[in-house]
Amino acid sequence: GAGVSQTPSNKVTEKGKYVELRCDPISGHTALYWYRQSLGQGPEFLIYFQGTGAADDSGLPNDRFFAVRPEGSVSTLKIQRTERGDSAVYLCASSLNLGDTQYFGPGTRLTVL
Amino acid sequence: AQTVTQSQPEMSVQEAETVTLSCTYDTSESDYYLFWYKQPPSRQMILVIRQEAYKQQNATENRFSVNFQKAAKSFSLKISDSQLGDAAMYFCAGSGAGSYQLTFGKGTKLSVIP
């Protein structure tokens, strides 16, 4: 079956702009996770959802970052007033239920000029 | 809270040989899980192996096995009969039983020499 998909694959934007990154989890997976991977580092947790609700958003760096999952499937990570330091690969993962193995998508590489 | 440390930024292995990647961790939780993920240049993180902390038996998956030393908080990955396709970044990660976020190490870049 299809794995986790993320769009766009690459996104280039200018400082101060707004961006949206999309994640389509594996069909039937109830839990969805967002991570950010800076160059040369391991991924860092941002937020995860169980169903439609954000179960833990403690990793979001500040209030410019927001994520939604309105129907319990697709999720969108939204970044307002982008800064150059937001440049990174944003990874999405899903699991059948919370605590199950997380399966990752290919990521979106965000570049803020 | 968890911390995960990978002290080997780069490793290399001859094709068909065996290599061991090191990982140490620290956690305040009594129940937790440990993982090794592989990230090729395509960026997609692929699960290699998973270990539940309450299980004493080391996990194995074909050519991949772990040496889980709970008291020493060590979780190393052994790759046997290395293949060219094994070349990638390898990340050690952990999660608590009640906290589902993964905490990753900085990774080890593995090169396989033909």
Side-chain angles (χ1 to χ4, degrees):
Chain A
V4 178
S5 62
Q6 293 186 245
T7 54
S9 177
N10 291 282
K11 175 72 177 177
V12 180
T13 191
E14 293 179 344
K15 180 173 179 268
K17 298 290 189 183
Y18 168 83
V19 296
E20 290 189 351
L21 311 179
R22 176 187 168 108
C23 173
D24 276 271
I26 293 171
S27 178
H29 280 196
T30 65
L32 185 147
Y33 314 76
W34 283 98
Y35 294 85
R36 178 168 72 172
Q37 186 175 20
S38 300
L39 192 63
Q41 303 294 317
E44 294 179 317
F45 167 74
L46 295 176
I47 184 172
Y48 68 73
F49 293 84
Q50 172 63 33
T52 60
D56 183 350
D57 64 357
S58 62
L60 294 177
N62 52 59
D63 61 7
R64 295 187 297 106
F65 289 74
F66 189 71
V68 296
R69 194 186 185 201
E71 298 179 356
S73 178
V74 171
S75 176
T76 304
L77 178 65
K78 307 180 180 193
I79 311 174
Q80 298 177 321
R81 305 183 303 280
T82 52
E83 299 177 356
R84 292 195 180 88
D86 298 335
S87 296
V89 174
Y90 289 81
L91 296 167
C92 176
S94 70
S95 65
L96 188 59
N97 295 295
L98 279 176
D100 291 336
T101 296
Q102 296 181 30
Y103 296 92
F104 283 79
T108 293
R109 182 180 297 281
L110 176 65
T111 303
V112 182
L113 301 176
Chain B
Q2 286 200 347
T3 59
V4 177
T5 302
Q6 292 178 252
S7 58
Q8 305 156 316
E10 296 188 28
M11 293 280 286
S12 62
V13 62
Q14 205 77 30
E15 192 175 4
E17 297 296 311
T18 295
V19 65
T20 298
L21 308 183
S22 301
C23 173
T24 58
Y25 64 93
D26 197 8
T27 181
S28 56
E29 307 209 34
S30 57
D31 194 13
Y32 52 91
Y33 303 91
L34 297 167
F35 307 83
W36 279 97
Y37 278 88
K38 168 185 176 182
Q39 187 178 42
S42 66
R43 296 198 309 243
Q44 185 140 14
M45 299 285 270
I46 301 164
L47 178 69
V48 174
I49 203 161
R50 166 183 165 132
Q51 174 82 43
E52 289 84 357
Y54 65 85
K55 290 187 177 178
Q56 294 186 347
Q57 187 172 7
N58 289 325
T60 64
E61 283 289 337
N62 301 314
R63 298 183 295 107
F64 300 87
S65 62
V66 298
N67 183 5
F68 175 44
Q69 300 289 329
K70 194 171 184 177
K73 296 185 177 177
S74 170
F75 183 63
S76 60
L77 175 70
K78 185 170 85 170
I79 306 174
S80 304
D81 185 26
S82 297
Q83 300 176 0
L84 295 177
D86 294 334
M89 285 291 293
Y90 284 81
F91 291 94
C92 179
S95 71
S99 169
Y100 305 106
Q101 56 177 276
L102 290 171
T103 300
F104 287 85
K106 290 190 174 183
T108 296
K109 182 178 180 181
L110 178 67
S111 301
V112 180
I113 303 164

